[in-house]
Amino acid sequence: MQITSALECRPNCGACCTAPSITSPLPGMPNGKPAGVRCVQLADDNRCLVFGRPERPAFCAGLQPAADMCGASREHAILWLDELERATAPALAD
């Protein structure tokens, strides 16, 4: 998957704050968050409550909206991020 063409966040989406896992601590989630779990810092309007603040994890700041990731809907973004999550997950020991 190649990310191309940066764009503005889609209003009321929040896919990037739900689909991926975050392994670093964040306010209210000291152990990070598992994939598929809504971040506690995601407001009711799906805007990040720690956007631009120093306690925002570097992972979040590095994940920028792009046409490939966001597509035309929140559902597309969730599916794309789920696929990326699976593709980058560490292999489980046998």
Side-chain angles (χ1 to χ4, degrees):
M1 282 183 217
Q2 182 180 6
I3 297 175
T4 58
S5 64
L7 53 116
E8 294 293 317
C9 283
R10 182 184 358 272
N12 207 22
C13 179
C16 60
C17 302
T18 305
S21 60
I22 300 173
T23 57
S24 57
L26 58 145
M29 300 181 110
N31 298 316
K33 77 164 212 68
V37 172
R38 182 181 174 87
C39 179
V40 298
Q41 294 301 324
L42 195 57
D44 290 340
D45 65 355
N46 286 326
R47 295 282 184 180
C48 178
L49 296 171
V50 293
F51 186 86
R53 295 176 52 189
E55 57 269 29
R56 184 176 182 217
F59 169 83
C60 300
L63 188 60
Q64 299 295 309
D68 290 356
M69 177 176 76
C70 299
S73 67
R74 179 180 194 276
E75 292 73 25
H76 171 94
I78 293 283
L79 290 171
W80 194 94
L81 289 162
D82 283 345
E83 184 179 325
L84 183 62
E85 182 74 27
R86 285 190 305 279
T88 59
L92 297 175
D94 292 329

